[in-house]
Amino acid sequence: MIKLDLHTHSIISPDGGLTEAHYKRVLTQGALDCLAITDHNDITFAQMMWQRFGKKIIVGEEITTSEGEMIGLFLKNGYLLSFNKLSFHSFIVVILI
């Protein structure tokens, strides 16, 4: 069984607080096998952690839209999107490979 968390916020999100040391501890002590860092409208910290921890980190982003927020995973670039014509429930997962 793979243990993972697909929605975490680092110190760069206003409602986050996880530091590099926190992520390292969780991954090296076996609490999780993999996790997504999904800061608000920013992937810089997630990219930095991916460079340090490789495949154990999923680069994600909690993207603000006109209809609410959504989670993007496996991102290479940050996305600031506007979905005026689409209706979203509070969260959906977008996987871009």
Side-chain angles (χ1 to χ4, degrees):
M1 176 171 56
I2 298 173
K3 300 174 284 186
L4 60 117
D5 186 338
L6 295 176
H7 186 186
T8 70
H9 292 305
S10 77
I11 55 175
I12 68 167
S13 280
D15 60 346
L18 297 175
T19 65
E20 179 179 351
H22 289 114
Y23 287 113
K24 181 178 181 180
R25 186 171 52 248
V26 165
L27 293 170
T28 59
Q29 292 181 352
L32 293 173
D33 299 307
C34 180
L35 59 88
I37 301 175
T38 54
D39 289 317
H40 291 271
N41 303 308
D42 194 313
I43 63 169
T44 54
F45 189 88
Q47 289 175 317
M48 184 176 70
M49 292 298 94
W50 181 81
Q51 289 175 353
R52 292 201 171 104
F53 300 109
K55 294 179 182 180
K56 293 183 177 210
I57 298 291
I58 298 168
V59 176
E61 180 178 2
E62 187 168 327
I63 304 161
T64 301
T65 75
S66 61
E67 295 290 324
E69 298 170 320
M70 65 186 223
I71 301 292
L73 299 173
F74 301 100
L75 302 178
K76 293 182 181 179
N77 298 301
Y79 291 88
L80 289 175
L81 304 174
S82 176
F83 292 96
N84 294 321
K85 296 182 180 178
L86 300 175
S87 178
F88 290 96
H89 299 289
S90 59
F91 291 97
I92 66 168
V93 175
V94 176
I95 299 177
L96 303 172
I97 299 175

